[in-house]
Amino acid sequence: MLVVMKQSASPAEIEAVVKRIEGMGYGATPIPGGQRTAVGLIGNDGRVDTASLQGMPGVLECIPVTHPYKQVSREWKEADTLITLPNGTVIGGRGVALMAGPCSVESEEQILTAAGQLRAAGATILRGGAFKPRTSPYSFQGLGEEGLRLLAKARELTGMAIVTEALDADGVELVAEYADIIQIGARNMQNYPLLRRAGQARKPVLLKRGMSATIEEFLLAAEYILAEGNPEVILCERGVRGFDTQTRNILDLTAIPVVKGLSHLPIIADPSHGTGLRSKVVPMARAAVAAGADGLMVEVHPNPPGALSDGAQSLFPEQFEELVEQIRVIADAIDRAVIPALPEAARV
Ligand code: PEP
Ligand code: MN
């Protein structure tokens, strides 16, 4: 529930509401807004008796938050959440953020080559898995911490921010030491100890939608992270399981406007895992931007046929370059803009 304060409410009146809510056995979070402050009530499982709050000095109204998720909802916070990375990239505003890179970090040469190519093409965030959640235990599992070190080197040389996956709760701290964004993969969307640990980290989290998760389950997973005190969550639509075998997954583009309506958190799209096929990545990336995605995460490899994972869905660098040019036009048509490329000086 939200207790909306009058514009004229004094700090003491707000404090009194916080105390009253705490006295009722709930948590209270003041949410300052442009016009007025609201106090969010957390920890309730059902209806709250608002009678004693309604009449308090400075209280305008009590609004029930009707969704099971609270802090991620638009009712809780109307304005879009903006997430600013150390290299200046802002996710969730007017800009469309470009995250690109290979599925896995394979070697120094591979990741530095990819970073140079992608930075030049306009991406400001480099992706690459060091800890890989592979369907088969016999597939390449990633370079581990060495992969994180190589990503950090790529950041040093290019200025790109780094996004990479933490596979389990105990891995969060190590990934957070190196990464600018901690990725939580689709298979882990409902790994609650991992979500809680990511909620305690002081880095933004990229949360991918589980392949069989409803939008409500997706938002509730994000709620775990916010509930632990980390408000910087980027949602990622990466395709859900369908009945058709033509593509690896079905990229649910409808989720983009639906989530935008329900939540203030930014949402990006991953057309690579969303389709599983190189030839389908570009059209779906274009469509995702047209649908209002705040960014894209695209797998690109300097030599896709030689990739140790997901080569079939990885773009060639020239394809990514062309895609960025097309996306600029699409973004412009809907009054948005691709986030400007990093300055020349930072190039490899
Ligand atoms: C990835 O982005 O590297 C990945 C494994 O994706 P997902 O969790 O969406 O399958
Ligand atoms: Mn992959």
Side-chain angles (χ1 to χ4, degrees):
M1 193 185 66
L2 279 178
V3 182
V4 181
M5 304 300 294
K6 291 180 185 155
Q7 229 170 324
S8 59
S10 69
E13 286 169 342
I14 296 169
E15 187 53 30
V17 168
V18 168
K19 286 267 152 13
R20 175 76 55 91
I21 294 173
E22 286 171 353
M24 292 161 79
Y26 305 117
T29 315
I31 314 161
Q35 298 291 325
R36 51 173 62 97
T37 292
V39 182
L41 183 152
I42 32 188
N44 59 312
D45 236 353
R47 267 189 69 84
V48 175
D49 181 12
T50 57
S52 69
L53 293 163
Q54 214 114 39
M56 290 183 73
V59 171
L60 181 68
E61 57 178 338
C62 296
I63 307 177
V65 177
T66 47
H67 301 292
Y69 42 85
K70 308 288 175 203
Q71 301 189 52
V72 307
S73 74
R74 276 269 180 219
E75 288 158 307
W76 192 270
K77 178 171 177 272
E78 205 183 326
D80 288 340
T81 286
L82 305 182
I83 297 172
T84 304
L85 303 180
N87 73 356
T89 301
V90 179
I91 303 171
R94 183 170 171 266
V96 175
L98 297 180
M99 310 182 183
C103 180
S104 310
V105 181
E106 298 169 4
S107 67
E108 176 162 337
E109 194 196 341
Q110 175 244 21
I111 197 67
L112 295 187
T113 304
Q117 291 168 333
L118 296 167
R119 201 226 57 81
T124 65
I125 304 161
L126 178 67
R127 63 147 288 141
F131 299 94
K132 294 302 302 176
R134 302 306 303 281
T135 303
S136 163
Y138 308 117
S139 302
F140 176 59
Q141 304 285 311
L143 295 181
E145 190 169 359
E146 174 58 12
L148 297 177
R149 277 193 285 270
L150 295 176
L151 286 166
K153 183 160 186 187
R155 170 176 52 210
E156 217 174 282
L157 292 169
T158 61
M160 295 174 87
I162 300 299
V163 55
T164 192
E165 180 163 352
L167 268 191
D168 48 42
D170 289 341
V172 167
E173 258 169 57
L174 180 65
V175 167
E177 263 178 50
Y178 292 89
D180 299 294
I181 304 173
I182 304 162
Q183 180 170 326
I184 295 183
R187 291 158 191 80
N188 265 326
M189 190 205 81
Q190 287 178 310
N191 179 339
Y192 301 116
L194 172 59
L195 295 173
R196 285 195 194 281
R197 200 71 75 81
Q200 290 153 13
R202 302 273 74 91
K203 289 277 169 83
V205 177
L206 178 88
L207 178 65
K208 300 189 94 178
R209 181 179 180 183
M211 48 195 97
S212 303
T214 63
I215 289 173
E216 186 167 292
E217 288 164 342
F218 189 21
L219 293 176
L220 279 166
E223 184 82 14
Y224 268 84
I225 302 170
L226 271 75
E228 288 294 324
N230 187 349
E232 300 205 304
V233 175
I234 304 152
L235 300 167
C236 179
E237 165 57 43
R238 51 75 73 204
V240 290
R241 280 274 159 86
F243 50 80
D244 204 308
T245 52
Q246 293 284 326
T247 55
R248 183 174 173 181
N249 290 297
I250 297 174
L251 186 66
D252 179 10
L253 290 181
T254 321
I256 296 167
V258 170
V259 165
K260 286 238 156 259
L262 295 173
S263 176
H264 52 84
L265 295 175
I267 178 162
I268 68 160
D270 169 355
S272 306
H273 296 88
T275 62
L277 299 166
R278 183 179 306 126
S279 64
K280 307 296 175 275
V281 171
V282 167
M284 294 315 283
R286 295 190 296 231
V289 172
D294 295 304
L296 293 174
M297 170 176 266
V298 184
E299 285 187 342
V300 188
H301 193 287
N303 174 30
L308 295 183
S309 59
D310 285 348
Q313 67 192 33
S314 298
L315 297 185
F316 286 89
E318 317 78 78
Q319 287 180 294
F320 181 71
E321 245 176 74
E322 199 183 335
L323 171 64
V324 175
E325 291 318 310
Q326 295 173 342
I327 283 171
R328 286 189 201 291
V329 181
I330 296 168
D332 186 53
I334 55 170
D335 199 25
R336 299 190 70 166
V338 170
I339 290 172
L342 295 163
E344 193 81 16
R347 284 196 189 186
V348 209

Short mmCIF file of all heavy atoms in Angstrom, two decimals, residues 193-245:
data_model
loop_
_atom_site.label_atom_id
_atom_site.label_comp_id
_atom_site.label_asym_id
_atom_site.label_seq_id
_atom_site.Cartn_x
_atom_site.Cartn_y
_atom_site.Cartn_z
N PRO A 193 17.96 -17.74 -3.50
CA PRO A 193 19.18 -17.31 -2.79
C PRO A 193 20.07 -16.43 -3.68
O PRO A 193 20.65 -15.45 -3.21
CB PRO A 193 19.88 -18.64 -2.46
CG PRO A 193 18.80 -19.66 -2.50
CD PRO A 193 17.80 -19.20 -3.52
N LEU A 194 20.11 -16.75 -4.97
CA LEU A 194 20.92 -15.93 -5.91
C LEU A 194 20.30 -14.54 -6.05
O LEU A 194 21.01 -13.52 -6.03
CB LEU A 194 21.00 -16.64 -7.27
CG LEU A 194 21.62 -15.87 -8.43
CD1 LEU A 194 23.05 -15.43 -8.13
CD2 LEU A 194 21.62 -16.73 -9.71
N LEU A 195 18.99 -14.47 -6.18
CA LEU A 195 18.32 -13.17 -6.32
C LEU A 195 18.57 -12.31 -5.07
O LEU A 195 18.88 -11.12 -5.17
CB LEU A 195 16.82 -13.36 -6.52
CG LEU A 195 16.39 -14.05 -7.82
CD1 LEU A 195 14.89 -14.33 -7.81
CD2 LEU A 195 16.76 -13.22 -9.05
N ARG A 196 18.47 -12.96 -3.91
CA ARG A 196 18.68 -12.19 -2.67
C ARG A 196 20.11 -11.65 -2.59
O ARG A 196 20.34 -10.51 -2.22
CB ARG A 196 18.42 -13.07 -1.45
CG ARG A 196 16.95 -13.33 -1.20
CD ARG A 196 16.77 -13.88 0.21
NE ARG A 196 15.45 -14.44 0.41
CZ ARG A 196 14.35 -13.73 0.63
NH1 ARG A 196 14.42 -12.42 0.66
NH2 ARG A 196 13.19 -14.33 0.81
N ARG A 197 21.08 -12.51 -2.96
CA ARG A 197 22.48 -12.08 -2.90
C ARG A 197 22.72 -10.94 -3.89
O ARG A 197 23.41 -9.97 -3.57
CB ARG A 197 23.41 -13.26 -3.18
CG ARG A 197 24.82 -13.07 -2.69
CD ARG A 197 24.94 -13.12 -1.16
NE ARG A 197 24.84 -14.49 -0.68
CZ ARG A 197 25.85 -15.36 -0.69
NH1 ARG A 197 27.03 -14.99 -1.09
NH2 ARG A 197 25.66 -16.59 -0.26
N ALA A 198 22.12 -11.03 -5.05
CA ALA A 198 22.26 -9.95 -6.04
C ALA A 198 21.61 -8.67 -5.50
O ALA A 198 22.06 -7.56 -5.79
CB ALA A 198 21.64 -10.36 -7.36
N GLY A 199 20.57 -8.86 -4.71
CA GLY A 199 19.91 -7.70 -4.10
C GLY A 199 20.78 -7.01 -3.06
O GLY A 199 20.59 -5.84 -2.75
N GLN A 200 21.74 -7.75 -2.54
CA GLN A 200 22.65 -7.17 -1.54
C GLN A 200 23.89 -6.57 -2.19
O GLN A 200 24.64 -5.84 -1.56
CB GLN A 200 23.06 -8.24 -0.53
CG GLN A 200 21.91 -8.65 0.38
CD GLN A 200 22.05 -10.07 0.92
OE1 GLN A 200 23.10 -10.69 0.80
NE2 GLN A 200 20.97 -10.60 1.48
N ALA A 201 24.09 -6.87 -3.48
CA ALA A 201 25.28 -6.35 -4.18
C ALA A 201 25.07 -4.87 -4.49
O ALA A 201 23.94 -4.41 -4.63
CB ALA A 201 25.49 -7.14 -5.46
N ARG A 202 26.17 -4.17 -4.63
CA ARG A 202 26.07 -2.75 -4.94
C ARG A 202 26.36 -2.50 -6.43
O ARG A 202 27.03 -1.57 -6.80
CB ARG A 202 27.03 -1.93 -4.06
CG ARG A 202 26.83 -2.08 -2.57
CD ARG A 202 25.77 -1.10 -2.01
NE ARG A 202 24.41 -1.48 -2.35
CZ ARG A 202 23.61 -2.27 -1.60
NH1 ARG A 202 24.02 -2.76 -0.48
NH2 ARG A 202 22.37 -2.55 -1.98
N LYS A 203 25.84 -3.37 -7.25
CA LYS A 203 26.00 -3.23 -8.71
C LYS A 203 24.63 -3.47 -9.35
O LYS A 203 23.83 -4.25 -8.82
CB LYS A 203 26.97 -4.29 -9.24
CG LYS A 203 28.44 -4.07 -8.87
CD LYS A 203 29.12 -3.11 -9.82
CE LYS A 203 30.49 -2.65 -9.36
NZ LYS A 203 31.56 -3.55 -9.67
N PRO A 204 24.38 -2.84 -10.51
CA PRO A 204 23.12 -3.13 -11.21
C PRO A 204 23.05 -4.61 -11.60
O PRO A 204 24.08 -5.26 -11.79
CB PRO A 204 23.20 -2.24 -12.47
CG PRO A 204 24.21 -1.20 -12.16
CD PRO A 204 25.18 -1.81 -11.18
N VAL A 205 21.82 -5.08 -11.70
CA VAL A 205 21.58 -6.49 -12.03
C VAL A 205 20.77 -6.58 -13.32
O VAL A 205 19.77 -5.86 -13.47
CB VAL A 205 20.79 -7.18 -10.88
CG1 VAL A 205 20.46 -8.63 -11.25
CG2 VAL A 205 21.58 -7.12 -9.57
N LEU A 206 21.21 -7.43 -14.24
CA LEU A 206 20.44 -7.71 -15.44
C LEU A 206 19.74 -9.05 -15.21
O LEU A 206 20.39 -10.08 -15.09
CB LEU A 206 21.37 -7.82 -16.66
CG LEU A 206 20.65 -8.16 -17.96
CD1 LEU A 206 20.17 -6.90 -18.65
CD2 LEU A 206 21.53 -8.93 -18.91
N LEU A 207 18.42 -9.00 -15.12
CA LEU A 207 17.65 -10.21 -14.81
C LEU A 207 16.96 -10.70 -16.08
O LEU A 207 16.12 -10.00 -16.65
CB LEU A 207 16.61 -9.89 -13.73
CG LEU A 207 15.69 -11.04 -13.34
CD1 LEU A 207 16.46 -12.19 -12.68
CD2 LEU A 207 14.58 -10.54 -12.40
N LYS A 208 17.31 -11.92 -16.50
CA LYS A 208 16.70 -12.47 -17.71
C LYS A 208 15.44 -13.25 -17.37
O LYS A 208 15.37 -13.90 -16.32
CB LYS A 208 17.73 -13.34 -18.45
CG LYS A 208 18.96 -12.52 -18.87
CD LYS A 208 19.88 -13.27 -19.78
CE LYS A 208 19.57 -12.97 -21.22
NZ LYS A 208 20.51 -13.67 -22.14
N ARG A 209 14.47 -13.16 -18.25
CA ARG A 209 13.20 -13.84 -18.02
C ARG A 209 13.38 -15.36 -18.17
O ARG A 209 14.00 -15.82 -19.14
CB ARG A 209 12.18 -13.35 -19.04
CG ARG A 209 10.80 -13.99 -18.88
CD ARG A 209 9.84 -13.44 -19.92
NE ARG A 209 8.53 -14.02 -19.78
CZ ARG A 209 7.52 -13.76 -20.61
NH1 ARG A 209 7.70 -12.90 -21.60
NH2 ARG A 209 6.35 -14.34 -20.44
N GLY A 210 12.87 -16.11 -17.22
CA GLY A 210 12.92 -17.56 -17.32
C GLY A 210 12.17 -18.03 -18.55
O GLY A 210 11.21 -17.39 -18.97
N MET A 211 12.60 -19.16 -19.10
CA MET A 211 12.01 -19.57 -20.38
C MET A 211 10.56 -20.05 -20.27
O MET A 211 9.88 -20.17 -21.26
CB MET A 211 12.89 -20.58 -21.09
CG MET A 211 13.38 -21.72 -20.24
SD MET A 211 14.73 -22.56 -21.08
CE MET A 211 16.16 -21.81 -20.34
N SER A 212 10.10 -20.28 -19.05
CA SER A 212 8.69 -20.63 -18.88
C SER A 212 8.01 -19.70 -17.88
O SER A 212 6.98 -20.05 -17.30
CB SER A 212 8.54 -22.07 -18.38
OG SER A 212 9.18 -22.95 -19.27
N ALA A 213 8.60 -18.55 -17.67
CA ALA A 213 8.07 -17.65 -16.64
C ALA A 213 7.01 -16.72 -17.20
O ALA A 213 7.17 -16.15 -18.29
CB ALA A 213 9.21 -16.82 -16.04
N THR A 214 5.94 -16.54 -16.44
CA THR A 214 4.95 -15.52 -16.80
C THR A 214 5.57 -14.15 -16.47
O THR A 214 6.56 -14.06 -15.71
CB THR A 214 3.66 -15.67 -15.98
OG1 THR A 214 3.99 -15.46 -14.59
CG2 THR A 214 3.03 -17.04 -16.17
N ILE A 215 4.94 -13.11 -16.98
CA ILE A 215 5.44 -11.76 -16.69
C ILE A 215 5.32 -11.48 -15.18
O ILE A 215 6.19 -10.86 -14.58
CB ILE A 215 4.70 -10.72 -17.56
CG1 ILE A 215 5.17 -10.89 -19.02
CG2 ILE A 215 4.96 -9.29 -17.07
CD1 ILE A 215 4.42 -10.07 -20.03
N GLU A 216 4.26 -11.98 -14.58
CA GLU A 216 4.11 -11.76 -13.13
C GLU A 216 5.24 -12.44 -12.34
O GLU A 216 5.80 -11.86 -11.41
CB GLU A 216 2.74 -12.26 -12.66
CG GLU A 216 2.48 -11.92 -11.21
CD GLU A 216 1.03 -12.13 -10.81
OE1 GLU A 216 0.17 -11.38 -11.32
OE2 GLU A 216 0.77 -13.05 -10.01
N GLU A 217 5.59 -13.66 -12.74
CA GLU A 217 6.70 -14.35 -12.06
C GLU A 217 8.01 -13.61 -12.29
O GLU A 217 8.87 -13.52 -11.39
CB GLU A 217 6.81 -15.79 -12.58
CG GLU A 217 5.69 -16.69 -12.09
CD GLU A 217 5.55 -17.99 -12.88
OE1 GLU A 217 6.08 -18.10 -14.01
OE2 GLU A 217 4.89 -18.90 -12.38
N PHE A 218 8.16 -13.07 -13.49
CA PHE A 218 9.36 -12.30 -13.85
C PHE A 218 9.47 -11.08 -12.93
O PHE A 218 10.53 -10.82 -12.32
CB PHE A 218 9.19 -11.88 -15.32
CG PHE A 218 10.38 -11.26 -16.00
CD1 PHE A 218 11.66 -11.42 -15.55
CD2 PHE A 218 10.17 -10.51 -17.17
CE1 PHE A 218 12.73 -10.85 -16.22
CE2 PHE A 218 11.23 -9.95 -17.86
CZ PHE A 218 12.50 -10.10 -17.38
N LEU A 219 8.38 -10.36 -12.78
CA LEU A 219 8.41 -9.16 -11.94
C LEU A 219 8.58 -9.51 -10.46
O LEU A 219 9.23 -8.78 -9.71
CB LEU A 219 7.15 -8.32 -12.18
CG LEU A 219 7.07 -7.71 -13.60
CD1 LEU A 219 5.75 -6.98 -13.81
CD2 LEU A 219 8.24 -6.76 -13.87
N LEU A 220 8.04 -10.63 -10.05
CA LEU A 220 8.23 -11.06 -8.66
C LEU A 220 9.69 -11.44 -8.40
O LEU A 220 10.21 -11.22 -7.31
CB LEU A 220 7.30 -12.22 -8.32
CG LEU A 220 5.87 -11.79 -7.97
CD1 LEU A 220 4.92 -12.99 -7.97
CD2 LEU A 220 5.82 -11.08 -6.63
N ALA A 221 10.35 -12.00 -9.41
CA ALA A 221 11.77 -12.31 -9.26
C ALA A 221 12.56 -11.01 -9.08
O ALA A 221 13.45 -10.92 -8.22
CB ALA A 221 12.27 -13.08 -10.49
N ALA A 222 12.19 -9.98 -9.85
CA ALA A 222 12.85 -8.68 -9.70
C ALA A 222 12.56 -8.10 -8.32
O ALA A 222 13.42 -7.46 -7.70
CB ALA A 222 12.38 -7.72 -10.80
N GLU A 223 11.36 -8.35 -7.82
CA GLU A 223 10.97 -7.82 -6.50
C GLU A 223 11.92 -8.34 -5.41
O GLU A 223 12.25 -7.62 -4.47
CB GLU A 223 9.53 -8.23 -6.20
CG GLU A 223 8.98 -7.66 -4.89
CD GLU A 223 8.47 -6.23 -5.00
OE1 GLU A 223 8.29 -5.73 -6.13
OE2 GLU A 223 8.26 -5.60 -3.95
N TYR A 224 12.38 -9.58 -5.55
CA TYR A 224 13.34 -10.14 -4.59
C TYR A 224 14.59 -9.25 -4.50
O TYR A 224 15.14 -9.06 -3.43
CB TYR A 224 13.78 -11.55 -5.01
CG TYR A 224 12.96 -12.66 -4.40
CD1 TYR A 224 11.77 -13.05 -4.98
CD2 TYR A 224 13.38 -13.29 -3.23
CE1 TYR A 224 11.01 -14.07 -4.43
CE2 TYR A 224 12.62 -14.30 -2.67
CZ TYR A 224 11.44 -14.69 -3.27
OH TYR A 224 10.69 -15.68 -2.69
N ILE A 225 15.04 -8.77 -5.65
CA ILE A 225 16.27 -7.98 -5.69
C ILE A 225 16.02 -6.61 -5.05
O ILE A 225 16.79 -6.13 -4.22
CB ILE A 225 16.78 -7.86 -7.14
CG1 ILE A 225 17.02 -9.26 -7.72
CG2 ILE A 225 18.05 -7.01 -7.22
CD1 ILE A 225 17.29 -9.29 -9.21
N LEU A 226 14.90 -5.99 -5.43
CA LEU A 226 14.57 -4.68 -4.84
C LEU A 226 14.31 -4.80 -3.34
O LEU A 226 14.68 -3.93 -2.56
CB LEU A 226 13.35 -4.06 -5.54
CG LEU A 226 13.70 -3.19 -6.75
CD1 LEU A 226 14.07 -4.03 -7.95
CD2 LEU A 226 12.59 -2.24 -7.11
N ALA A 227 13.67 -5.90 -2.95
CA ALA A 227 13.32 -6.07 -1.53
C ALA A 227 14.56 -6.16 -0.66
O ALA A 227 14.52 -5.87 0.53
CB ALA A 227 12.45 -7.31 -1.35
N GLU A 228 15.69 -6.55 -1.27
CA GLU A 228 16.96 -6.63 -0.52
C GLU A 228 17.70 -5.30 -0.51
O GLU A 228 18.79 -5.19 0.01
CB GLU A 228 17.87 -7.71 -1.11
CG GLU A 228 17.41 -9.13 -0.82
CD GLU A 228 17.46 -9.50 0.66
OE1 GLU A 228 18.39 -9.07 1.37
OE2 GLU A 228 16.56 -10.23 1.10
N GLY A 229 17.14 -4.31 -1.21
CA GLY A 229 17.75 -2.98 -1.16
C GLY A 229 18.47 -2.55 -2.41
O GLY A 229 19.11 -1.50 -2.43
N ASN A 230 18.41 -3.36 -3.48
CA ASN A 230 19.08 -2.95 -4.73
C ASN A 230 18.01 -2.54 -5.75
O ASN A 230 17.32 -3.38 -6.30
CB ASN A 230 19.92 -4.11 -5.27
CG ASN A 230 20.77 -3.70 -6.46
OD1 ASN A 230 20.58 -2.61 -7.00
ND2 ASN A 230 21.69 -4.55 -6.87
N PRO A 231 17.89 -1.22 -6.00
CA PRO A 231 16.83 -0.77 -6.91
C PRO A 231 17.24 -0.82 -8.38
O PRO A 231 16.44 -0.52 -9.26
CB PRO A 231 16.62 0.69 -6.47
CG PRO A 231 17.96 1.12 -5.96
CD PRO A 231 18.66 -0.11 -5.42
N GLU A 232 18.50 -1.19 -8.65
CA GLU A 232 19.01 -1.10 -10.03
C GLU A 232 18.89 -2.44 -10.75
O GLU A 232 19.84 -3.22 -10.83
CB GLU A 232 20.45 -0.61 -10.01
CG GLU A 232 20.57 0.76 -9.36
CD GLU A 232 21.77 1.53 -9.84
OE1 GLU A 232 22.89 0.99 -9.72
OE2 GLU A 232 21.60 2.66 -10.32
N VAL A 233 17.70 -2.68 -11.28
CA VAL A 233 17.45 -3.92 -11.99
C VAL A 233 17.07 -3.60 -13.43
O VAL A 233 16.22 -2.73 -13.68
CB VAL A 233 16.34 -4.75 -11.32
CG1 VAL A 233 16.00 -5.99 -12.14
CG2 VAL A 233 16.76 -5.15 -9.90
N ILE A 234 17.70 -4.29 -14.36
CA ILE A 234 17.37 -4.18 -15.77
C ILE A 234 16.73 -5.52 -16.14
O ILE A 234 17.34 -6.57 -15.92
CB ILE A 234 18.64 -3.98 -16.63
CG1 ILE A 234 19.43 -2.75 -16.16
CG2 ILE A 234 18.30 -3.88 -18.12
CD1 ILE A 234 20.92 -2.83 -16.44
N LEU A 235 15.52 -5.48 -16.65
CA LEU A 235 14.84 -6.71 -17.05
C LEU A 235 15.25 -7.05 -18.48
O LEU A 235 15.55 -6.15 -19.28
CB LEU A 235 13.33 -6.52 -16.96
CG LEU A 235 12.82 -6.16 -15.56
CD1 LEU A 235 11.37 -5.68 -15.63
CD2 LEU A 235 12.95 -7.35 -14.62
N CYS A 236 15.26 -8.33 -18.80
CA CYS A 236 15.64 -8.73 -20.16
C CYS A 236 14.71 -9.83 -20.68
O CYS A 236 14.68 -10.93 -20.12
CB CYS A 236 17.10 -9.21 -20.18
SG CYS A 236 17.65 -9.75 -21.82
N GLU A 237 13.98 -9.50 -21.73
CA GLU A 237 13.16 -10.50 -22.42
C GLU A 237 14.08 -11.27 -23.36
O GLU A 237 14.73 -10.69 -24.22
CB GLU A 237 12.04 -9.78 -23.21
CG GLU A 237 11.33 -10.63 -24.25
CD GLU A 237 10.70 -11.91 -23.70
OE1 GLU A 237 10.09 -11.85 -22.63
OE2 GLU A 237 10.86 -12.96 -24.36
N ARG A 238 14.14 -12.60 -23.18
CA ARG A 238 15.08 -13.41 -23.96
C ARG A 238 14.40 -14.62 -24.60
O ARG A 238 15.06 -15.57 -24.97
CB ARG A 238 16.28 -13.82 -23.11
CG ARG A 238 15.94 -14.44 -21.81
CD ARG A 238 15.46 -15.86 -21.86
NE ARG A 238 16.53 -16.78 -22.15
CZ ARG A 238 16.37 -17.98 -22.70
NH1 ARG A 238 15.16 -18.41 -23.01
NH2 ARG A 238 17.40 -18.78 -22.94
N GLY A 239 13.08 -14.54 -24.71
CA GLY A 239 12.37 -15.63 -25.37
C GLY A 239 11.85 -16.64 -24.38
O GLY A 239 12.48 -16.92 -23.37
N VAL A 240 10.68 -17.17 -24.72
CA VAL A 240 10.05 -18.20 -23.88
C VAL A 240 9.83 -19.45 -24.73
O VAL A 240 9.85 -19.39 -25.95
CB VAL A 240 8.71 -17.69 -23.28
CG1 VAL A 240 8.97 -16.61 -22.24
CG2 VAL A 240 7.78 -17.18 -24.38
N ARG A 241 9.62 -20.57 -24.05
CA ARG A 241 9.38 -21.83 -24.74
C ARG A 241 8.02 -21.82 -25.43
O ARG A 241 7.03 -21.40 -24.83
CB ARG A 241 9.37 -22.98 -23.71
CG ARG A 241 10.75 -23.45 -23.31
CD ARG A 241 11.26 -24.51 -24.28
NE ARG A 241 12.72 -24.63 -24.23
CZ ARG A 241 13.37 -25.39 -23.37
NH1 ARG A 241 12.71 -26.09 -22.48
NH2 ARG A 241 14.68 -25.47 -23.41
N GLY A 242 8.01 -22.28 -26.67
CA GLY A 242 6.73 -22.40 -27.37
C GLY A 242 6.62 -23.80 -27.94
O GLY A 242 7.43 -24.67 -27.65
N PHE A 243 5.62 -24.03 -28.76
CA PHE A 243 5.43 -25.36 -29.32
C PHE A 243 6.10 -25.51 -30.68
O PHE A 243 6.20 -26.60 -31.21
CB PHE A 243 3.94 -25.72 -29.41
CG PHE A 243 3.12 -24.65 -30.08
CD1 PHE A 243 3.08 -24.55 -31.45
CD2 PHE A 243 2.40 -23.74 -29.31
CE1 PHE A 243 2.33 -23.56 -32.06
CE2 PHE A 243 1.65 -22.75 -29.92
CZ PHE A 243 1.61 -22.66 -31.30
N ASP A 244 6.55 -24.42 -31.27
CA ASP A 244 7.12 -24.48 -32.60
C ASP A 244 8.61 -24.78 -32.54
O ASP A 244 9.32 -24.24 -31.70
CB ASP A 244 6.88 -23.15 -33.32
CG ASP A 244 6.90 -23.34 -34.82
OD1 ASP A 244 7.86 -23.93 -35.33
OD2 ASP A 244 5.93 -22.91 -35.47
N THR A 245 9.07 -25.65 -33.41
CA THR A 245 10.49 -26.04 -33.36
C THR A 245 11.36 -25.25 -34.35
O THR A 245 12.55 -25.50 -34.46
CB THR A 245 10.63 -27.55 -33.67
OG1 THR A 245 9.95 -27.81 -34.90
CG2 THR A 245 10.04 -28.39 -32.56
#
